[in-house]
Amino acid sequence: MLLPKRLLRSLIYLIFFLTVSLFLLLLANKHQIIEINKYIPFDIFGTAAPLFFQPPSDSFIVDISFDNCFKFSFNNKRCGLPDINKGLLGDKAQWYRLRKDICLGSSWSKKQYLNYKKIKHDKYEEYLSAGKKNNKNVVDEVIIDIAVADPVNDVKIKGNEKLKLPKHIIQTFHNKQVYDDDTHASFTEQNTNNIVNAAPVDDQIQAELESEGNKDVATAEENRKEEESKKEQDDERKDAAQEDAKEKGKEAEKLKQSSEQNDNDQPKDFEEEIKPESPKDEKKDKREIVTNRNDLNRVLYVPKMEAVLKSGWRYKSNGIWLKYGPHSSKNAVSAIDLLFGYETVDPRPNWNLIKTPIIGVSNPSDLPAYITFRRGPKIDYKKEIGTTLTMNSEDKFKILQIADLHFSTGYGKCLDPQPPSSAKGCKADSRTLEFINKVLDLEKPDMVVLTGDQIFGDASPDSESSAFKALNPFVERKIPFAITVGNHDDEGSLKREEIMGLYADMPL
């Protein structure tokens, strides 16, 4: 039985109205106008909503700090935490301590922690609203990017010898810079020069970096004078080139006149041989300049300190720079972590590992500390990028079992390496990873089962770094895996329950 047209039309209107209402509701949730989870007790619109409709983050990090906790205060829960009034937003935000000793237990007298200051988005909205109502000059700024300086290599960038800016900051400016013809010509000339002007690196580099924030004005003035000096040199070089071209033109004219007088004695093409090069087509030059505008492999555009500060970058300590921007940005930093070891990786999809070690911290020299951070809200990897187990094209299902990887936080020690001659300089974890990658590429399993001892506890002062190293090959290839814990896994920095929680929170 067909529904009456009037009733059918009403149903269509109702469905359309509900669809639009739901869309607007989710959009309001995204922009934090309302919080759906406050009004709906079950998870249907909140975290279950598509990522597009999720709020940028449930909280924001506004500051970081490195602090020491000395032995006589180890039992104090607030040991190593800064005063609540220290840092951005004062007592409006809360300091939290990352549960990792940067010293990795190498110091008997102290522990060193990375602390971060965090504020929930509803509290932050209240803070901004209160500032507007009271006509206070409240600036909307949270951390949206992080860069770490490399004192040895950053100063090798031409023009960065005094500023010592991290390459990441320079690269962001370089990629956005539109060069005029003179600047591009100057950069192209530098790009062909194999000599890199690098300032000597000495023991005072860290101290200079620490005081960089107090020298912004002086540095900017020095940079301006240096730019003017470079411009004068470029002008002199151009004038010299023009004079040289004129001299060559006069010489060519004299030779041409001489060739006309001795026309019978000279070959016909002699005039062409001595004729000065004709100027290239101006339009062609412009096209070449445009197409090669960013083709500068060795030379980077180094911004002035004023431009760096104006764009939101601020120097903190230990070579770390923070970029601030509005909290509505999709790049707002919502979580931060530390990983250790030269081979460390972070397989979590929405995390960004900075592969430049932090300077001036008291960790072992062979286990440098690296910052990794997350932008936006925490993602349920199983829901967003989980893989369904299905038969392959041949109606088969291949399972690969892997056991006793014994990964370390560092390179790992080789036990009974084969051939024995390879024992010198042997890196156990590198060999194991190479073998795993070859097996995965050869066998192409539909699933991997890891049956314990992924972590070698005695050699894992940071078990998280070891675990990420073990799981990265499978996450990269999007191969589903199941995992159990062995007797060595919980002998490192994490308990058995914490390790299983870490594994359960991984993609796939």
Side-chain angles (χ1 to χ4, degrees):
M1 180 179 178
L2 296 176
L3 294 174
K5 289 184 178 180
R6 182 176 297 177
L7 180 59
L8 186 61
R9 191 184 305 115
S10 300
L11 286 174
I12 293 173
Y13 289 158
L14 179 62
I15 293 172
F16 176 77
F17 173 76
L18 291 175
T19 303
V20 173
S21 300
L22 178 60
F23 177 81
L24 293 175
L25 190 65
L26 292 173
L27 202 61
N29 183 67
K30 173 183 175 66
H31 292 284
Q32 304 169 13
I33 299 173
I34 61 171
E35 292 184 60
I36 297 178
N37 284 338
K38 284 186 177 181
Y39 306 101
I40 300 177
F42 47 92
D43 185 9
I44 185 171
F45 293 127
T47 56
L51 281 180
F52 175 79
F53 294 106
Q54 291 288 340
S57 177
D58 59 343
S59 57
F60 310 103
I61 295 179
V62 297
D63 212 342
I64 65 170
S65 175
F66 288 92
D67 297 276
N68 296 322
C69 174
F70 293 96
K71 188 175 181 62
F72 58 84
S73 301
F74 279 177
N75 295 328
N76 186 349
K77 292 183 179 180
R78 291 197 56 82
C79 181
L81 273 176
D83 184 84
I84 192 170
N85 293 310
K86 179 183 176 181
L88 207 64
L89 299 186
D91 60 357
K92 300 294 188 298
Q94 183 70 39
W95 281 105
Y96 296 90
R97 185 173 67 192
L98 195 64
R99 289 179 51 202
K100 289 187 178 183
D101 175 17
I102 302 176
C103 303
L104 295 177
S106 62
S107 173
W108 65 270
S109 61
K110 71 173 182 178
K111 294 181 180 179
Q112 194 170 26
Y113 294 106
L114 169 61
N115 301 299
Y116 56 95
K117 202 168 192 180
K118 202 170 188 178
I119 185 170
K120 291 187 176 181
H121 74 81
D122 55 343
K123 298 291 184 184
Y124 191 67
E125 290 285 354
E126 291 176 6
Y127 165 75
L128 294 177
S129 300
K132 291 179 181 179
K133 288 180 181 178
N134 298 326
N135 295 322
K136 292 183 179 180
N137 187 20
V138 176
V139 181
D140 178 11
E141 54 180 12
V142 298
I143 299 175
I144 61 174
D145 200 2
I146 303 175
V148 180
D150 181 351
V152 175
N153 294 308
D154 289 341
V155 294
K156 295 180 181 179
I157 300 174
K158 288 189 176 183
N160 193 41
E161 297 88 347
K162 294 182 179 180
L163 293 180
K164 301 181 180 69
L165 295 172
K167 186 177 180 180
H168 174 69
I169 296 179
I170 296 174
Q171 194 74 54
T172 56
F173 277 88
H174 179 79
N175 293 339
K176 296 178 181 178
Q177 182 71 12
V178 178
Y179 309 113
D180 56 31
D181 293 345
D182 292 339
T183 305
H184 183 270
S186 174
F187 273 22
T188 303
E189 183 177 349
Q190 294 179 56
N191 210 40
T192 58
N193 184 2
N194 292 325
I195 301 175
V196 178
N197 296 328
V201 180
D202 54 34
D203 296 335
Q204 296 182 350
I205 281 184
Q206 171 63 17
E208 291 176 5
L209 280 171
E210 295 288 349
S211 61
E212 193 69 51
N214 299 324
K215 299 190 299 181
D216 292 340
V217 177
T219 304
E221 181 64 22
E222 290 178 5
N223 196 31
R224 183 185 65 78
K225 291 180 179 179
E226 187 177 348
E227 290 291 335
E228 290 178 354
S229 176
K230 286 183 179 180
K231 188 176 180 181
E232 290 177 0
Q233 293 176 5
D234 291 340
D235 292 340
E236 291 176 1
R237 194 183 299 112
K238 289 178 184 177
D239 293 339
Q242 290 176 359
E243 290 295 330
D244 188 45
K246 288 180 181 179
E247 291 295 330
K248 288 183 179 179
K250 291 179 180 179
E251 184 178 349
E253 186 64 28
K254 290 179 181 179
L255 289 172
K256 182 178 179 181
Q257 292 174 359
S258 176
S259 67
E260 289 175 353
Q261 294 175 0
N262 303 289
D263 189 49
N264 296 329
D265 299 329
Q266 301 293 345
K268 292 182 179 180
D269 58 347
F270 179 74
E271 184 177 336
E272 296 179 359
E273 291 179 5
I274 62 173
K275 187 177 181 180
E277 294 182 4
S278 59
K280 294 182 180 179
D281 182 42
E282 187 177 352
K283 293 183 179 179
K284 184 177 180 181
D285 276 350
K286 287 184 177 180
R287 283 198 299 271
E288 288 179 355
I289 289 174
V290 170
T291 55
N292 296 316
R293 187 73 71 182
N294 294 315
D295 188 18
L296 301 170
N297 298 322
R298 298 186 68 257
V299 180
L300 293 172
Y301 168 78
V302 180
K304 295 182 179 180
M305 183 58 74
E306 296 98 325
V308 174
L309 298 176
K310 188 176 180 180
S311 67
W313 285 102
R314 300 178 196 170
Y315 180 73
K316 289 300 296 183
S317 65
N318 301 87
I320 297 174
W321 290 73
L322 304 177
K323 185 176 184 180
Y324 285 87
H327 76 289
S328 58
S329 169
K330 63 180 180 180
N331 294 325
V333 175
S334 57
I336 194 167
D337 197 0
L338 287 176
L339 297 175
F340 297 85
Y342 288 106
E343 294 181 325
T344 190
V345 292
D346 193 340
R348 296 171 291 186
N350 59 332
W351 284 74
N352 303 272
L353 176 63
I354 305 175
K355 283 310 294 280
T356 303
I358 304 169
I359 58 178
V361 291
S362 305
N363 61 305
S365 59
D366 60 333
L367 296 175
Y370 299 90
I371 285 182
T372 180
F373 62 95
R374 185 187 72 206
R375 288 189 171 107
K378 184 178 180 180
I379 296 176
D380 186 343
Y381 300 125
K382 300 292 189 296
K383 186 184 300 181
E384 296 298 330
I385 57 177
T387 303
T388 304
L389 301 179
T390 57
M391 295 291 185
N392 59 28
S393 57
E394 299 177 355
D395 286 334
K396 294 180 180 179
F397 191 82
K398 182 183 288 188
I399 299 176
L400 175 67
Q401 181 191 2
I402 299 178
D404 298 304
L405 293 175
H406 288 177
F407 275 114
S408 307
T409 301
Y411 289 122
K413 183 179 180 181
C414 292
L415 302 176
D416 301 323
Q418 294 297 326
S421 59
S422 65
K424 186 177 181 180
C426 179
K427 299 175 181 177
D429 290 0
S430 299
R431 283 193 171 191
T432 304
L433 284 170
E434 183 181 0
F435 175 73
I436 291 174
N437 288 324
K438 286 182 178 179
V439 172
L440 292 175
D441 292 338
L442 179 66
E443 296 294 338
K444 295 180 172 54
D446 300 298
M447 182 180 179
V448 173
V449 177
L450 296 104
T451 52
D453 286 352
Q454 289 72 237
I455 301 171
F456 191 33
D458 290 341
S460 295
D462 183 54
S463 296
E464 187 178 29
S465 298
S466 305
F468 285 170
K469 198 190 305 185
L471 299 181
N472 189 57
F474 319 119
V475 177
E476 275 188 339
R477 291 170 173 79
K478 297 183 179 180
I479 302 175
F481 60 86
I483 195 164
T484 61
V485 178
N487 61 307
H488 290 299
D489 286 293
D490 60 350
E491 293 175 350
S493 62
L494 295 178
K495 298 178 182 178
R496 210 172 188 82
E497 297 79 10
E498 293 173 325
I499 293 173
M500 287 307 297
L502 179 68
Y503 290 154
D505 198 36
M506 291 296 293
L508 309 171

